[in-house]
Amino acid sequence: MNDRDYMQRAILLAQEAQAKGEVPVGAVIVFNDEIVAEGFNCPISTNDPSAHAEIVALRHAALKLQNYRLPDTTLYVTLEPCVMCAGAMIYARVKRCVFGAYDKKSGAAGSVLNIFGEKALNHRVIVESGLLSDNCSELLSAFFQSRRS
């Protein structure tokens, strides 16, 4: 599998979130070319403001790998991480973050802030942006359009 395949899986997870009435964001964590964890947004259904797709996936990966540090992992997510999720990736020592759609309202990987580029922090996450961005953006746009209707 390659980056596109992993992002396609994250898109499927985002669609699961949407089917449950959540904002459609999905995340996949890969270690040694294997998906070790997945997650999708579920803060509404769980009454948990921290239940973003990335946080859910990070929790599952830490349990599976039996380590709160996740070095040499890549986290794929359909939407640019927020401050909370970017911070969690830094603390977990995720090696690489690949995201699809940009979040011009609260993105923390370059759109509004760049937490990953903060030199005062002691870990650097490699960031790659815009993978399948049209697909990811369309999913989010359609979701919010339907909510406004």
Side-chain angles (χ1 to χ4, degrees):
M1 291 181 65
N2 60 37
D3 286 350
R4 291 178 66 84
D5 297 324
Y6 295 127
M7 186 61 78
Q8 287 283 11
R9 178 64 189 146
I11 290 170
L12 291 174
L13 291 163
Q15 291 168 340
E16 277 190 57
Q18 181 174 358
K20 296 176 186 282
E22 302 278 357
V23 176
V25 179
V28 171
I29 298 180
V30 174
F31 178 68
N32 288 338
D33 299 321
E34 175 189 340
I35 294 175
V36 294
E38 299 179 334
F40 55 79
N41 268 11
C42 58
I44 297 167
S45 61
T46 61
N47 295 310
D48 179 356
S50 70
H52 290 195
E54 300 97 317
I55 301 297
V56 172
L58 286 167
R59 288 175 180 155
H60 290 303
L63 288 172
K64 173 147 186 174
L65 298 175
Q66 293 292 290
N67 194 345
Y68 74 107
R69 301 289 172 139
L70 303 171
D72 300 319
T73 60
T74 297
L75 190 151
Y76 297 85
V77 62
T78 57
L79 180 64
E80 180 180 0
C82 69
V83 172
M84 174 182 66
C85 294
M89 283 183 244
I90 290 167
Y91 287 122
R93 304 295 194 263
V94 169
K95 181 176 184 175
R96 186 169 157 246
C97 172
V98 179
F99 72 86
Y102 292 89
D103 185 348
K104 292 180 173 66
K105 292 183 180 176
S106 60
S111 288
V112 176
L113 299 170
N114 187 1
I115 300 301
F116 295 121
E118 180 55 51
K119 296 187 185 336
L121 299 174
N122 67 344
H123 177 72
R124 298 283 173 269
V125 175
I126 299 163
V127 178
E128 295 176 31
S129 58
L131 180 62
L132 300 177
S133 63
D134 290 343
N135 305 67
C136 297
S137 295
E138 188 176 299
L139 189 60
L140 287 157
S141 295
F143 173 80
F144 286 113
Q145 184 80 5
S146 72
R147 299 285 277 220
R148 287 185 214 109
S149 301

